[in-house]
Amino acid sequence: MLKLENISVKYKDKVVLENLSFSANSGEIIGLVAPNGTGKTTLFNVIANYLKPNKGNVTFNGNLQYKTERKELSIHKQLVTLPDQGDLFEELSGVDHMKLYANMWKGSSKQVKEIYEELHMEGYVKKKVKTYSLGMRQRLCFAMIAAADTPIMLMDEVMNGLDVANVSLISNRLMKMKQEGKLIFIASHLLANLDLYADRVIYLRDGGIVHEQRLNETDEEFIKIQVTEEQYEKLQYALPENHLYIGKRLCCIPVTGLSMEEKKEWIEKLSEYKDKELTIGPLGTPEFYERYYHED
């Protein structure tokens, strides 16, 4: 559905993206993870056709090339980005904002009521935005993008400032939109939350993709325990060669393929660290983040 080929973006002497390539299909939620200043916003701007790369091509549905200026309106009809809270109109209501987005992209506002009811916004959505808290404003920004109902959606820090209940509401709506065939990109610092709904997570570093984590396609599990560097130095000689020590704090021993007896032996050995929490499961986004950004 969306294909990026050899995308490079350079500002003066600084290379932000270099020969970056990947493809994405409808019905996918793709997380985008990287420290600030490493190309997330630039990549979103390229996908949204706000920024022309110095090199490379972006193609939508196999035949719509971004670099063709006469196709620009067609591209923007297919894609919407999460509005910033600073872009909201203080004197308009939440419903007004949602209808604006629905009419601009979808050409109909029939879904607006269903969306704000699903997001539990009935108590304030008809009031002026100037009366909203930060959490209400953020939920409205998401409701606006949902009302636009485009095939591709770009969301930067969509969960920012939301409590657990609202994160759950938006996560449920994201899964519904995924089932409807939307292609959704989400850049977020709430790493563990990405594990709940993303199909894969892309990690950017040095202008390219350093790792792509496919969350639904791995059955590899690890025994995980936090140990200090001093504890690890004493322990490492007994560890298997394929173990990981992530962020100088988390020891991960792969258990896929081990017998039940071997797993039991490792659990008993690591249980000697009584003050440390021991878990078994796959590596998640927080672990990969530390592995690729905090180990240098």
Side-chain angles (χ1 to χ4, degrees):
M1 186 177 189
L2 185 71
K3 187 174 184 179
L4 283 74
E5 298 177 282
N6 302 316
I7 298 297
S8 294
V9 176
K10 183 178 180 182
Y11 297 111
K12 295 183 178 179
D13 295 329
K14 183 179 180 182
V15 176
V16 182
L17 299 176
E18 185 172 20
N19 291 323
L20 185 147
S21 299
F22 71 87
S23 59
N25 299 308
S26 58
E28 265 196 301
I29 297 178
I30 299 176
L32 186 62
V33 171
N36 291 332
T38 53
K40 285 185 300 182
T41 301
T42 299
L43 179 57
F44 266 18
N45 286 338
V46 169
I47 294 174
N49 199 36
Y50 297 154
L51 175 67
K52 304 293 183 186
N54 299 101
K55 188 182 77 170
N57 299 310
V58 182
T59 308
F60 177 68
N61 273 354
N63 56 16
L64 188 56
Q65 290 241 350
Y66 274 33
K67 63 167 58 176
T68 309
E69 291 186 9
R70 61 188 176 85
K71 296 289 187 180
E72 198 160 316
L73 182 59
S74 299
I75 292 165
H76 287 296
K77 284 183 178 179
Q78 305 295 323
L79 183 148
V80 66
T81 61
L82 184 76
D84 188 82
Q85 290 191 19
D87 297 330
L88 300 176
F89 298 98
E90 299 290 320
E91 295 298 323
L92 295 183
S93 70
V95 168
D96 292 332
H97 283 83
M98 291 176 67
K99 287 182 176 179
L100 177 65
Y101 264 54
N103 289 322
M104 284 175 64
W105 274 278
K106 191 173 178 62
S108 168
S109 58
K110 289 181 180 179
Q111 274 192 306
V112 164
K113 187 172 186 236
E114 173 206 324
I115 293 168
Y116 72 64
E117 286 180 346
E118 188 174 331
L119 296 175
H120 297 182
M121 298 170 64
E122 304 99 308
Y124 64 88
V125 75
K126 295 182 180 179
K127 297 178 182 178
K128 293 182 177 181
V129 166
K130 67 181 181 181
T131 66
Y132 288 17
S133 67
L134 290 176
M136 291 175 181
R137 289 169 183 259
Q138 190 67 8
R139 215 182 325 174
L140 172 59
C141 289
F142 176 75
M144 290 163 65
I145 202 173
D149 198 33
T150 54
I152 303 175
M153 300 178 174
L154 305 180
M155 306 185 192
D156 192 359
E157 301 298 345
V158 65
M159 305 294 187
N160 191 35
L162 298 179
D163 59 24
V164 174
N166 286 322
V167 167
S168 177
L169 287 173
I170 289 182
S171 297
N172 289 338
R173 183 71 194 191
L174 284 170
M175 294 305 295
K176 181 176 180 179
M177 292 192 296
K178 172 189 167 181
Q179 291 166 3
E180 292 170 351
K182 310 300 182 190
L183 170 56
I184 303 169
F185 291 88
I186 299 177
S188 178
H189 285 99
L190 298 176
L191 304 178
N193 190 256
L194 285 174
D195 291 345
L196 300 177
Y197 50 74
D199 296 287
R200 52 180 162 140
V201 178
I202 291 172
Y203 299 78
L204 295 180
R205 182 171 177 174
D206 299 327
I209 297 173
V210 66
H211 180 67
E212 183 177 301
Q213 175 190 2
R214 293 185 177 269
L215 294 159
N216 299 324
E217 297 181 11
T218 179
D219 57 1
E220 188 175 21
E221 292 194 327
F222 295 79
I223 300 172
K224 297 180 283 188
I225 187 169
Q226 292 195 26
V227 293
T228 65
E229 290 185 69
E230 183 179 351
Q231 290 169 329
Y232 173 70
E233 285 179 8
K234 294 178 180 178
L235 182 64
Q236 65 174 316
Y237 301 105
L239 294 171
E241 289 185 6
N242 58 346
H243 78 277
L244 302 173
Y245 187 48
I246 298 174
K248 296 181 179 180
R249 67 169 190 87
L250 186 67
C251 182
C252 304
I253 300 172
V255 296
T256 304
L258 296 183
S259 67
M260 288 300 297
E261 188 63 32
E262 289 171 320
K263 291 179 186 178
K264 183 179 177 182
E265 288 177 5
W266 276 115
I267 290 171
E268 288 178 351
K269 184 175 183 64
L270 295 175
S271 295
E272 297 175 5
Y273 298 94
K274 300 184 185 299
D275 59 332
K276 305 294 184 180
E277 181 183 6
L278 186 148
T279 60
I280 299 178
L283 296 183
T285 305
E287 285 94 354
F288 278 111
Y289 188 90
E290 288 211 33
R291 183 179 183 186
Y292 289 106
Y293 303 119
H294 289 171
E295 289 200 334
D296 293 340

